[in-house]
Structures are given as C-alpha cells and as structure tokens.
Amino acid sequence: MSKVELRITPSRSVLPALNEPQVLYALIELSAQSGATKMPRLPLNLCLVIDRSSSMRGERLQQVKQAAMQILDLLGDNESFALVTFNDRAEVVVSSQLARARAEIKRQISAIEAAGGTEMATGLALGVQELQRAMMPRAINRLLLLTDGRTYGDESRCVEIARRAQARGIGITALGIGSEWNEDLLETIAARENSRTHYITSVADITKIFTAEVERMHSIFAQDVQVRLALPPQALVRSFDRVRPFIGPLPVIEEADSVWTATLGDWPEQDVQAFLVEVVIPPLLEGRHTLIRFNLRFRMPGNDNVVQSYDQVLQAVVHNPDEVSTDVDPTVKHWLERLVAYRLQARAWQAVEEGKLEEATQRLQMAGTRLFEAGQVELARAVQEEATRLLRSGRASAEGRKRIKYGTRGLIGREEQS
C-alpha cells in the first residue's frame, strides 16, 4: 500500500472572536513516502506531436529529434510509441507500435525535416487517433505536444480535439519554445486534469524536459486523486489553488452544503502536492473549533478495486480579539506572496487585452513588489522592466509576457522547482 504524508498549516492557529465572517488560509501539503512506486508501473502509451514548420529548422528540430530518440530509449518493450508532425498538414511519421523496434523508429525520426506553416489541429487529431489505436484498460495515455509558432484559424478545433481526448483518459502536455507560440491557446488546451503547459526558453533544455516528462509518467503511484473539504455550517471556500509543483487555480465544486471537492488526476511520486485554500469562516464563539475536515482519496494504479483514503482535521482556537496576534505563519505567507504575484500578472494581461494599460501597468508593478518581497529578485526585475515597457510603448513583448507568466507559475525553462 502507498504511504502519504499529509499536513495542514493554517495562516493563523488562533483567531479573534468577531461578529462578522473572517478569512483564513490553509496550506495543504501532500507527499509520497519514498518507495511509493515499488509496485509494477503501468505501461505508457505515448504520442509525440511535433511542430515541423519552417521556424523549427536547424538546432530546434535537431534537439527535438534527439529528445524523441532519448524518450524511445526510456520506454520498455511493452510500451507504445507514436510520432506525428505538422506544418501546413499533418503526417504520421511513426505509427503507434511497441517501442522495441528502436532502430527502425529512430531512422524514421532522423528523416524529419522542417518546412511550411503551422496548423496544429490536424496534428492533434492524428496524435489522438494514434493513441486510441494502442489504448489499453490499464495504461498511462499521454500526448506530448511541442510548438514554436501560432496556429491560424483552427484554435477552437484544437480545443475541441483536446477535450475529447481528455474525456477518454488522454492527458496532454503542451510545450512551447521561443516567443511566438500562443500561450493562451496552450493553456486552454491543458486546462484539464493530467494536462499542463510548459515554457522552454532554451533549445538546450528540450531533451531534458522531454525526458523528465516521461520519467514523471513512469513514477505515477496514484490515480483518480480527489480531495474533499468539509467546513462548518455557513463557511465557504472562496478559492482553491495549487502552489506546488506549480502555481495555478483548481476547479472546486460544492457537492453538498459546506462540502467541497476537487479532482487532481494522476500523481507522480516525486511531485510534492501543495494547495492554498481560502476559507471564509462564519462568526465563532471563543473556544476550540474544527474548521476543516480534509479527506484525500486515490486509486492504486492498475487496480480499480483498491482505493486509499487519508483524513486530517484542522482545528483553531478562538480568543478575545485583544489577545490574538495578526502574524501569518511564515510558510503560508511564502506561498501566498507567490500566489498573489501570479494572480496580479494574470489580471495585468487581461487588462492589456481590454485596453486598460494604466491598470495593467499598476498590476505588474504590484506583482514585481510581491516578488521582491518573496526573494524572487531576478523575476521581479523582469516584471518591472515589462511594466516600464508597457507604460512607455503601450505594448508588452511576447517573450517578456511568457517569462512572467510561466516564471510566476514556476514553469519556466526547466523542470518545476519548489
């Protein structure tokens, strides 16, 4: 059986007795104990969908081909591999097959050449088709997409294809390299469980990030992960955000009165999962109160009948307001500062789209201040530089926007950092 360490840290463990609702933050941290994946791993059914438009010519495509070959060496003989390329049209370069025919597959990969424009939807459709040909009842099904440009006229079709794939249990990792790709589209494609985006800033990082992604898939020790929060009557969850291994909001549903759930999908062993929940607490009398009853449930890979469950209770003491400190727990503050910076830059780009440049500049400046306070000096400077550019020219740079967006998430240029 897998072992999980579970810890809940409130922003304050002692609350003031007030006649009005108050906000409490709680940091929920989940980590797998070492050796959680000693059981046999599920086979991987993988398809690479690679942009081979003319902008990929040269070192970029060479690195992608090298990365694809290295991925092939990581797969077991009973695992499936396919590769689709797209430019103005899409082509199945390697049809879905067991990875044991490595020499022939590598020959096919080495023959890929770059030319033409960028139309992503047909490439996605062929990639999903290849994955479906090799789908098994118990396997990890993943599509790994890489692009360096913008697709034209088929954005909505890309999202439709991704949604159908995700509904059938296919996760999507969408990778962007350079500064010309459409991060809004890739974010939308990946806005489901078992899917995510990543910004590759250096060609030299392509192989590392490709192989790290496959290693993550091989280390999945829990599937269909779900968290449940039961709160006191009249309390509510205002927001629920992931902060590790990367920052981003998570959909949370009130399935019953004061009971909230979120679905997380698959959980690789090396990923520490951490979440910040913002809870509105109703007026409470002095004394000790249970504020959150937390439940974690997941299924063991390869065995639909084995479900594990972990529970934790968060309590707090309510005292006379004159006796209560306003200090916030330093670990909660650490992640809250980063989360606020992420939200501020996201709202800044939304303001840019709405033509509200002064508001966008102010939000970027506030995000930069938060990042300085959090010790993220280099990223804070990049944010301030982009705010100055926006104020002076009325435009943000494509590269600056991506660096800020993915930098505040913790998903820039390398595998996620804590």
Side-chain angles (χ1 to χ4, degrees), residues 73-144:
D73 290 334
L74 292 175
L75 299 181
D77 287 349
N78 65 332
E79 296 184 297
S80 294
F81 177 87
L83 192 148
V84 171
T85 60
F86 66 92
N87 50 14
D88 299 310
R89 61 186 181 85
E91 176 187 3
V92 177
V93 176
V94 180
S95 60
S96 185
Q97 58 188 278
L98 295 179
R100 60 173 64 111
R102 289 177 177 81
E104 175 58 20
I105 293 174
K106 288 181 179 181
R107 186 193 64 76
Q108 294 170 315
I109 292 172
S110 66
I112 298 171
E113 295 182 354
T118 305
E119 292 185 16
M120 186 186 298
T122 306
L124 279 174
L126 282 182
V128 172
Q129 179 179 300
E130 289 302 310
L131 285 169
Q132 290 176 163
R133 290 179 58 236
M135 285 183 75
M136 296 176 286
R138 293 190 176 94
I140 306 295
N141 303 293
R142 288 293 186 275
L143 186 148
L144 192 58

Side-chain angles (χ1 to χ4, degrees), residues 280-309:
V280 179
I281 304 295
L284 298 174
L285 299 174
E286 292 189 41
R288 180 174 291 275
H289 297 266
T290 296
L291 301 182
I292 299 175
R293 296 182 184 276
F294 178 83
N295 172 255
L296 168 71
R297 293 173 62 85
F298 57 84
R299 181 173 55 81
M300 302 294 294
N303 193 332
D304 296 340
N305 298 320
V306 178
V307 175
Q308 290 191 237
S309 180

Side-chain angles (χ1 to χ4, degrees), residues 375-394:
Q376 300 291 309
V377 177
E378 183 178 349
L379 182 57
R381 286 174 178 159
V383 173
Q384 296 291 4
E385 288 173 4
E386 207 61 35
T388 301
R389 183 197 306 272
L390 189 61
L391 185 63
R392 290 177 176 173
S393 68

Side-chain angles (χ1 to χ4, degrees), residues 102-301:
R102 289 177 177 81
E104 175 58 20
I105 293 174
K106 288 181 179 181
R107 186 193 64 76
Q108 294 170 315
I109 292 172
S110 66
I112 298 171
E113 295 182 354
T118 305
E119 292 185 16
M120 186 186 298
T122 306
L124 279 174
L126 282 182
V128 172
Q129 179 179 300
E130 289 302 310
L131 285 169
Q132 290 176 163
R133 290 179 58 236
M135 285 183 75
M136 296 176 286
R138 293 190 176 94
I140 306 295
N141 303 293
R142 288 293 186 275
L143 186 148
L144 192 58
L145 166 71
L146 181 135
T147 183
D148 73 340
R150 289 177 175 264
T151 188
Y152 293 100
D154 60 353
E155 290 88 350
S156 60
R157 185 164 171 248
C158 288
V159 176
E160 291 171 5
I161 293 166
R163 292 294 174 268
R164 286 198 297 270
Q166 290 154 338
R168 295 167 184 164
I170 297 172
I172 298 174
T173 300
L175 307 173
I177 184 168
S179 61
E180 298 304 317
W181 51 280
N182 185 342
E183 71 269 20
D184 293 333
L185 174 60
L186 294 198
E187 287 281 343
T188 303
I189 286 173
R192 287 295 186 274
E193 62 189 74
N194 297 335
S195 300
R196 63 181 190 156
T197 59
H198 198 107
Y199 177 24
I200 304 176
T201 58
S202 170
V203 171
D205 287 337
I206 292 175
T207 299
K208 180 174 64 176
I209 291 174
F210 269 45
T211 54
E213 195 66 18
V214 172
E215 288 167 356
R216 289 180 75 256
M217 297 174 201
H218 278 154
S219 71
I220 288 173
F221 82 100
Q223 293 186 292
D224 297 334
V225 182
Q226 184 183 74
V227 297
R228 183 174 182 269
L229 303 150
L231 308 180
Q234 301 180 7
L236 62 88
V237 173
R238 180 178 286 175
S239 63
F240 188 71
D241 294 88
R242 188 195 305 270
V243 294
R244 293 183 70 184
F246 56 88
I247 294 176
L250 280 169
V252 62
I253 299 172
E254 188 175 13
E255 65 174 22
D257 289 344
S258 301
V259 178
W260 305 74
T261 61
T263 302
L264 310 180
D266 293 342
W267 180 1
E269 179 182 358
Q270 71 266 36
D271 283 358
V272 173
Q273 303 281 346
F275 313 92
L276 262 181
V277 56
E278 181 182 6
V279 179
V280 179
I281 304 295
L284 298 174
L285 299 174
E286 292 189 41
R288 180 174 291 275
H289 297 266
T290 296
L291 301 182
I292 299 175
R293 296 182 184 276
F294 178 83
N295 172 255
L296 168 71
R297 293 173 62 85
F298 57 84
R299 181 173 55 81
M300 302 294 294

